[in-house]
């Protein structure tokens, strides 16, 4: 499975990191080895002093597709979820300053939290999903898919122009504002339309 991530898909998040608003979706890929096993704690890696959480709505691809038109994109997924794209922000910043790829900052072991999956039919509209990340029971990120610069079906169409999508691939659709660092013993939990989708302890 591929983990395809979209960067800079929420205006407020672009502003908080002082990034430039992109003309097209920013796309990067994380290896499957970055997925944190279920029920396992997240261990802060030795190579970073500034690990940030980024909560994101996820889509799981259910069949092979290439050059998918936006109107047919809903046929390629039945489930949505919630997860965290952990980012070594200090490592990422150093790489960005040199114009280098981000993989070391985004694709390290344990950097990808994939929570539970829910049938998309459970929700009235995929383009109006409220979601939150709580740190130690306090809401730190509060987003809604209606604030995306590119909606889920647009993203599937765009990504499939470059990569053949296969059954089991996961798309991380971008994070809202409120990203921040974690420290040992922090407890993170994610909610999608009020339903807890994951929880993870920081070690």
């Amino acid at each position: 499975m591929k983990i395809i991530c979209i960067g800079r898909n929420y205006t407020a998040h672009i502003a908080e990191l002082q990034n430039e608003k992109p003309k097209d979706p920013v796309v990067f890929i994380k290896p499957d080895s970055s997925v944190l096993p279920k029920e396992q704690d997240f261990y802060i890696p030795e190579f970073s002093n500034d690990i940030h959480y980024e909560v994101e709505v996820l889509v799981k691809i259910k069949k092979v597709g290439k050059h998918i038109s936006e109107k047919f994109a809903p046929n390629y997924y039945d489930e949505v979820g919630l997860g965290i794209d952990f980012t070594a922000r200090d490592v990422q910043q150093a790489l960005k300053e040199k114009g280098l790829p981000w993989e070391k900052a985004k694709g390290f072991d344990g950097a990808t939290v994939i929570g539970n999956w829910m049938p998309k039919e459970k929700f009235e509209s995929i383009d109006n999903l409220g979601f939150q990340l709580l740190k130690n029971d306090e809401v730190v990120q509060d987003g809604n898919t209606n604030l995306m610069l590119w909606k889920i079906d647009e993203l599937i169409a765009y990504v499939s122009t470059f990569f053949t999508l296969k059954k089991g691939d996961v798309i991380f659709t971008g994070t809202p504002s409120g990203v921040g660092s974690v420290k040992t013993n922090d407890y993170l939990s994610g909610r999608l339309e009020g339903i807890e989708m994951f929880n993870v302890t920081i070690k």
Side-chain angles (χ1 to χ4, degrees), residues 42-51 182-184 202-203:
F42 174 83
Y43 285 82
I44 297 174
E46 295 180 356
F47 55 75
S48 176
N49 296 311
D50 193 21
I51 296 291
V182 296
K183 63 181 185 299
T184 302
I202 309 300
K203 295 292 187 178

Side-chain angles (χ1 to χ4, degrees), residues 53-57 82-84 131-133 141 174-176 198:
Y53 52 77
E54 297 187 9
V55 70
E56 309 195 18
V57 171
L82 201 67
I84 299 177
F131 60 102
Q132 295 81 33
L133 182 74
Q141 286 188 273
T175 194
F198 65 78

